[in-house]
Amino acid sequence: MIEVLNRLVDAIEERLGGEIDVDGLAASMGTTGYHARRMFSSLAGMPVSEYVRRRRMTVAAAEVIGGADLLTIAVRYGYTSVEAFGRAFRSVHGASHGDVRRDGGPLRTQPTIRFRLTVEGNTAMDARIVERPTVRLIGHAARVPLIYEGINPHIQQHITSLPAGEHERLEGLSSAEPSGLLQVSADVDADYTEGSELTYLHGVAVGADADVPADLDVIEVAAGAWVVFRTSGPHPAALQNAYAASAAEWFPSNPWRLRPGPSIVAIRDHAEDFSTATGELWFPVERG
């Protein structure tokens, strides 16, 4: 996967002045756009779309300083007007193209990214691959923003807004793996952009043919393989560290890639104040 990401970066570099089809490039390299985007975002700390924008504005800055026609520059880098180009330019450099043309700066350069795999061997990841039939995830869903670190207050607000006794009611409906109360993230932005919206469902898994109470939301999940990471430690830091390690360590070292579908957190045990917890992360996967 590391080699694929570096080839993707090279292909992007060759196409900065033209159309960049990440899905098509990924397919030509033997993987999927979905997996490539998720791995890029996790390892680079930014979506591939943001990286492309920063690289284009880095290269475009030299042409702005050189005095080239602004509309010509804008069109070359995928913008239909000088105004649209100007907004993108300012968002990257923190200054207008007029200021940069006059003063030669300030400029915020985005270097070309190179990915490297460092194997230290000091942390073993507790993972297993399971095949699961079609299931339904049922519960109470809400649209919330994606937040990388710390407790997501929007999710906390959603959970605390549920009626008293609803957690016990949901647990009583659980009839499929993963068992128990689940935290489900679905419809996540392909680039995994922080602040983008996702569907969060607080609920349980049931069989494909189970009767679902009319007041509950449903997410249909197709049959397939899942990788399950078991975590233990401070909550939610241990889970968030496992998310990061899955991209940086596990996927580059194993013949599996992410497939579209929800990610699931199952809390198996926790301290009374939830300061520590033992949990499982479920990701839908397929052979790479």
Side-chain angles (χ1 to χ4, degrees), residues 136-193:
R136 308 173 95 182
L137 302 173
I138 66 171
H140 299 278
R143 294 290 288 174
V144 300
L146 173 64
I147 295 177
Y148 280 159
E149 297 183 2
I151 294 174
N152 189 319
H154 306 276
I155 290 177
Q156 288 299 105
Q157 182 180 5
H158 173 61
I159 294 173
T160 57
S161 70
L162 298 178
E166 186 62 12
H167 306 288
E168 290 76 9
R169 176 203 174 204
L170 289 171
E171 280 195 281
L173 295 172
S174 174
S175 61
E177 284 291 330
S179 61
L181 280 174
L182 308 174
Q183 302 168 15
V184 180
S185 298
D187 306 321
V188 181
D189 172 55
D191 280 333
Y192 221 59
T193 307

Side-chain angles (χ1 to χ4, degrees), residues 21-101:
D21 178 7
V22 174
D23 292 334
L25 290 171
S28 71
M29 297 171 187
T31 189
T32 64
Y34 182 86
H35 185 63
R37 290 174 187 275
R38 290 288 295 273
M39 291 299 100
F40 188 102
S41 177
S42 296
L43 294 175
M46 74 180 87
V48 64
S49 57
E50 174 64 14
Y51 173 71
V52 169
R53 186 171 68 92
R54 292 185 186 183
R55 280 298 299 151
R56 280 177 165 162
M57 292 304 102
T58 295
V59 175
E63 299 185 35
V64 169
I65 293 173
D69 177 70
L70 289 175
L71 181 57
T72 301
I73 299 173
V75 171
R76 178 177 296 128
Y77 293 104
Y79 295 89
T80 57
S81 69
V82 172
E83 289 75 18
F85 171 76
R87 289 192 293 271
F89 192 91
R90 180 182 287 276
S91 70
V92 171
H93 295 292
S96 71
H97 47 64
D99 292 339
V100 168
R101 173 164 287 182

Side-chain angles (χ1 to χ4, degrees), residues 3 32 45 57 106 126 229 244 275 279:
E3 180 185 354
T32 64
M57 292 304 102
D126 185 351
F229 298 101
S275 59

Side-chain angles (χ1 to χ4, degrees), residues 1 35 127 129 229 246 249-257 287-288:
M1 192 64 217
H35 185 63
I129 301 292
F229 298 101
S246 70
E249 301 173 26
W250 194 86
F251 279 106
S253 307
N254 289 275
W256 298 91
R257 66 188 180 201
R287 281 200 170 271

Side-chain angles (χ1 to χ4, degrees), residues 102-247:
R102 183 185 65 246
D103 303 327
L107 296 175
R108 296 173 182 165
T109 300
Q110 172 61 60
T112 303
I113 283 178
R114 304 308 299 175
F115 294 94
R116 293 180 176 84
L117 177 61
T118 300
V119 180
E120 296 180 351
N122 59 353
T123 303
M125 296 194 71
D126 185 351
R128 69 183 193 276
I129 301 292
V130 298
E131 290 282 344
R132 301 303 306 149
T134 301
V135 296
R136 308 173 95 182
L137 302 173
I138 66 171
H140 299 278
R143 294 290 288 174
V144 300
L146 173 64
I147 295 177
Y148 280 159
E149 297 183 2
I151 294 174
N152 189 319
H154 306 276
I155 290 177
Q156 288 299 105
Q157 182 180 5
H158 173 61
I159 294 173
T160 57
S161 70
L162 298 178
E166 186 62 12
H167 306 288
E168 290 76 9
R169 176 203 174 204
L170 289 171
E171 280 195 281
L173 295 172
S174 174
S175 61
E177 284 291 330
S179 61
L181 280 174
L182 308 174
Q183 302 168 15
V184 180
S185 298
D187 306 321
V188 181
D189 172 55
D191 280 333
Y192 221 59
T193 307
E194 185 164 22
S196 61
E197 284 199 333
L198 59 92
T199 298
Y200 172 82
L201 181 136
H202 185 76
V204 296
V206 299
D209 299 326
D211 292 329
V212 179
D215 64 324
L216 297 183
D217 300 301
V218 179
I219 297 175
E220 305 282 353
V221 181
W226 297 75
V227 59
V228 184
F229 298 101
R230 190 170 182 85
T231 71
S232 184
H235 183 76
L239 287 169
Q240 291 165 341
N241 290 340
Y243 269 107
S246 70

